[in-house]
Amino acid sequence: MDFDNLFTQICQDLQETGEVIEMSARFSTCSSDAQRISFILATNTVRKCLQEPLSLAKQEMSAPCKSQILSASHRAEGNNYYQKKLNWKAISSYNRSLLVGEGESLALAYANRSAVFHDMADWLHSLRDIQLALDQGYPKHLEHKLRERQGNCWQELGHVTRAFKSFNLAKELLALAGQQHKDKLISITSKIRKLGDVMEVTESMSNATSIEQEIIKKRRLAPELNRDRNILLPSASTSIELTDSVDRGRCLVATEDIHIGTTVIVEKAFASILLAEFKESHCHHCLHWTPGPVPCHRCSQVGFCSTICRDEATYHQSECGLTDLFHRTGVGSHGFIGLLAVRTVLKTGRDKIVMANQQESIGKVYDSSDYGTIHRLVGNTSQRSVADLFRRAVMAVYLTSLMQPDNEPDQVLATAVLRLLQSYPCNAHEICHLAVPLPGTSRRADRPLQQIQLCEIGSAAMPVLSLINHSCDPNIARVCYGDVIAIKAIRRIARGEELLDNYGYHYAVHEKSERQTRLFRQYYFRCNCRACVEDWPRYADAPRLDNRPDLSETVDRYVKLRWCDPDGPPEASELAQSFIDCLDAMETSVKLPVQEYNNAQEGLKHYFALSATLSRHLVD
């Protein structure tokens, strides 16, 4: 039963017993989240309604989810694609085989996937999969194939000593196999001769982890901050400071003039989640795209980009089995918020939550890695209705009960989850990567823009970014590198001016009345930005710069940038600089809004996304 249906059942039972009015009155007197949780736990009707769904959910979570039969079926599908040289489809099938496999089925799927990577000249992923296949007990009578493939990869990477050793192992295994591999033995011997005399040297990448470290080094990293790190706000540069004002609350302001394109904040998520549809293509832990995920040891719904991330994700041991359940049941219309709240609590631990409850303030340093910064995010509790708080309290008890073996929720954890269920709808941030075609696939000429566009792949808790207030005409943009977000200026920001993000409702896209209604409904404030005060028109109704061809012609090249390949062309950076120059020129000489200004900002943002983490996808 999903949470919507469960909560509906609870409300119906309370209605039938005549408890609704009295219970609502008593619940409204609760002045803290701890009291609200205690109230729910003391309500027999609610506890009774939760019993059976919790029991069924626990049974489902404990049921075996690995399947040799299903793994073999996916592997056979992958073999079929591989024979047809449909390499990316083969990899996708092998990925599914690995997620549900165990034992020898893992070894076979890793080995088969390594063959595809080998054919695609992805030597590092092929080597990693070969090593994992061997670690999983790949059949000895077939091992000579892996060793030869391993030797080929080492040779291509210039590691001659390791290639020599791998080919020699393949030769020894073939000799033991007898005459049926005579031709292959001759081929291997020839490869060894061609390597010549090899000096014994110590080389790196001796196991799966060291190979993975080389793979990770090739990722695009978040840019450096423009200045030294702010010691009081470690995720930001000294160009930014945290202030507190009566009308704006806590906010970030510039300590100096900031130029367009400048990186002023780089923040790693305190906690993050991956949307369900990306479980086969992205890392559960760091959210990076990966062509070859490694599976969780126990559940079949989670993949990691590497064994490194799998080992780092210690919190998953407590949520293993919960992830799929949460995605399937929805936990209400915003299921990812519930999952992000649980993930945060599991990563933090009970002791640190208790400590945060006892502290009256965060302290002088606002550190993104400190749970205290998450704990004190605004939840707008006083503006929520009794019904809204009751629903979230029931959800918190339900989620926390799923984490406990005896269905008895820890009140401290349940209270923390309730707090996050209120603050995250206003403070969680999307993780968006640019979706681009897979390497080696061609883009269809009739669908260029559908194939290169921003794609939401997850959600994250970013306490520093949560300090940035909204504007319908923002001066910064978010750029994602896995679960790290960089903040870049897309307008000039003067000293003393506030950094302003957009919460999803931009003047160029939404009418003022729609923006005001939606912002108040979700974030509980009325926007008074310049675009709202002056009632700027949407993009389609804004004027064009017909008398400034020097600006309009440059901005129109935005369409060309949308066609850019992820790794080029070289003129992309020059085009981005021309967007910056146009924006600078328009801010000083043009009355806003105009369409060219929006186009230049979008072109610059698209360039930022092209330079960041990319999410590959199959082209239909």
Side-chain angles (χ1 to χ4, degrees), residues 319-577:
E319 68 173 23
C320 195
L322 278 174
T323 307
D324 185 47
L325 181 69
F326 282 9
H327 286 312
R328 199 164 51 254
T329 62
V331 194
S333 57
H334 299 287
F336 68 91
I337 293 295
L339 181 55
L340 185 58
V342 169
R343 175 84 41 87
T344 302
V345 167
L346 291 174
K347 288 189 73 172
T348 304
R350 192 179 192 278
D351 291 345
K352 289 184 179 179
I353 291 173
V354 171
M355 190 182 303
N357 288 334
Q358 294 170 346
Q359 292 175 339
E360 293 184 3
S361 61
I362 297 173
K364 291 184 178 179
V365 179
Y366 197 93
D367 190 343
S368 300
S369 63
D370 179 6
Y371 171 73
T373 59
I374 295 288
H375 185 73
R376 285 172 175 78
L377 291 175
V378 174
N380 297 300
T381 305
S382 62
Q383 299 187 66
R384 297 187 182 277
S385 66
V386 172
D388 179 87
L389 290 172
F390 182 77
R391 180 189 178 86
R392 293 177 195 274
V394 172
M395 186 186 295
V397 169
Y398 176 68
L399 294 176
T400 315
S401 297
L402 288 171
M403 291 189 279
Q404 306 298 314
D406 55 0
N407 289 351
E408 284 297 322
D410 183 304
Q411 288 192 244
V412 171
L413 299 185
T415 301
V417 170
L418 174 56
R419 189 182 191 100
L420 297 175
L421 288 176
Q422 296 171 74
S423 64
Y424 276 171
C426 303
N427 291 285
H429 285 77
E430 296 176 349
I431 297 292
C432 291
H433 298 167
L434 200 66
V436 298
L438 289 163
T441 59
S442 59
R443 286 176 288 162
R444 283 170 46 182
D446 61 330
R447 288 196 341 175
L449 301 188
Q450 284 81 357
Q451 294 175 44
I452 302 182
Q453 57 187 335
L454 277 178
C455 177
E456 181 183 0
I457 63 105
S459 182
M462 299 278 186
V464 171
L465 267 59
S466 294
L467 297 171
I468 305 177
N469 286 318
H470 164 85
S471 171
C472 300
D473 177 34
N475 55 21
I476 59 97
R478 288 171 267 138
V479 189
C480 298
Y481 300 79
D483 65 344
V484 174
I485 296 183
I487 294 297
K488 289 178 170 287
I490 56 171
R491 278 206 290 110
R492 290 182 181 179
I493 304 175
R495 178 182 179 182
E497 187 179 351
E498 184 180 355
L499 269 66
L500 297 169
D501 196 359
N502 183 264
Y503 291 4
Y505 307 106
H506 197 285
Y507 82 86
V509 181
H510 304 94
E511 294 281 3
K512 176 181 175 181
S513 59
E514 182 183 7
R515 300 198 307 268
Q516 295 283 347
T517 300
R518 292 191 177 188
L519 287 168
F520 187 78
R521 184 182 300 157
Q522 183 173 353
Y523 299 101
Y524 301 96
F525 70 84
R526 302 289 183 190
C527 183
N528 291 307
C529 70
R530 180 184 174 189
C532 285
V533 172
E534 298 180 7
D535 198 10
W536 283 6
R538 290 185 305 163
Y539 172 86
D541 302 319
R544 285 186 58 86
L545 288 176
D546 295 328
N547 61 336
R548 291 292 302 272
D550 58 320
L551 296 178
S552 58
E553 289 175 7
T554 299
V555 170
D556 286 343
R557 294 167 67 198
Y558 167 47
V559 175
K560 180 181 178 181
L561 186 62
R562 290 296 294 266
W563 279 82
C564 283
D565 290 325
D567 297 318
E571 63 265 24
S573 59
E574 298 175 10
L575 187 54
Q577 184 58 51

Side-chain angles (χ1 to χ4, degrees), residues 265-278:
I265 297 173
V266 177
E267 182 175 25
K268 181 173 176 58
F270 181 89
S272 61
I273 60 163
L274 183 69
L275 298 184
E277 57 265 39
F278 298 100

